[in-house]
Amino acid sequence: VQAAQHDAPEGWEAHRPPKGKESHPVVNVSWHDALAYCAWLSKVTGKRITLPGEAEWEKAARGDQEARVFPWGDAFEATRCNSAELGIGDTTPVGIFLNGASPYGCLDMVGNVWEWTRTIYKSYPYRADDGREDLSNQNERRVLRGGAFRNDQVGARCAYRNWYRPFNRYWDHGFRVVVAPI
């Protein structure tokens, strides 16, 4: 926010996250905000940083050998993610649900916040060649994955999909980044 002089998310003061939420996921960010962060981080690191595609996100959550319902397996367990069943009612620090890791070791794949992907929302089956990964169309609704702290276990399934317009900012929408091959 400071380095790129980008507008801070709602709820920040003096370009800083709210006190006590420095290690929580950033929320109230649009898809455009998330991409701007990726562009800034790419420039700073010299690496290609982007949002995950929907298929990449799902593979990171489920693994490639199993079609897991949840990142940790097929049975829901409330203590493995920050969903409505846990009852916290707000975001939690990133990475505290170690027993909720995906087969790749990714944490917080479900619960906590909905995560923007770079993918345009289209019906399944997924086809990478149907234009859904086109970043040039800046106004198409985009896929969010993972559910949030206010969603129950249905929204916390690896296969659950949501979408919003790319300019929308919500108190339970955030993002994760991936380092992509150059």
Side-chain angles (χ1 to χ4, degrees), residues 128-140:
D129 64 350
D130 67 0
R132 69 179 72 214
E133 300 300 336
D134 182 4
L135 291 178
S136 68
N137 190 332
Q138 299 284 302
N139 294 314
E140 285 287 332

Side-chain angles (χ1 to χ4, degrees), residues 38-39 41-43 45-51 56 118 133 135 177-182:
C38 290
L41 191 57
S42 293
K43 185 177 180 182
T45 64
K47 298 178 180 177
R48 184 171 166 248
I49 311 293
T50 187
L51 298 176
E56 292 170 322
R118 66 175 182 266
E133 300 300 336
L135 291 178
V177 299
V178 297
V179 179
I182 293 182

Side-chain angles (χ1 to χ4, degrees), residues 108-165:
D108 300 319
M109 292 300 297
V110 297
N112 225 6
V113 298
W114 283 104
E115 297 177 1
W116 288 107
T117 70
R118 66 175 182 266
T119 307
I120 293 171
Y121 184 84
K122 293 187 179 192
S123 62
Y124 268 17
Y126 181 90
R127 288 192 28 220
D129 64 350
D130 67 0
R132 69 179 72 214
E133 300 300 336
D134 182 4
L135 291 178
S136 68
N137 190 332
Q138 299 284 302
N139 294 314
E140 285 287 332
R141 54 194 181 161
R142 298 290 168 160
V143 174
L144 292 112
R145 288 300 202 102
F149 62 86
R150 64 186 186 96
N151 300 110
D152 67 13
Q153 63 184 286
V154 172
R157 292 178 299 117
C158 294
Y160 197 82
R161 311 169 74 214
N162 198 359
W163 63 267
Y164 278 91
R165 297 282 179 199

Side-chain angles (χ1 to χ4, degrees), residues 24-45:
H24 288 232
V26 173
V27 294
N28 289 313
V29 289
S30 70
W31 180 79
H32 296 291
D33 294 332
L35 281 183
Y37 176 78
C38 290
W40 170 80
L41 191 57
S42 293
K43 185 177 180 182
V44 168
T45 64

Side-chain angles (χ1 to χ4, degrees), residues 59-63 68 70-72 98-109 158:
K59 183 177 179 182
R62 294 183 118 155
R68 293 178 172 202
F70 303 99
W72 55 85
L98 299 177
N99 62 354
S102 78
Y104 292 110
C106 299
L107 299 175
D108 300 319
M109 292 300 297
C158 294

Side-chain angles (χ1 to χ4, degrees), residues 71-87:
W72 55 85
D74 292 334
F76 181 77
E77 296 178 46
T79 59
R80 292 181 180 249
C81 66
N82 182 13
S83 66
E85 287 85 357
L86 198 58

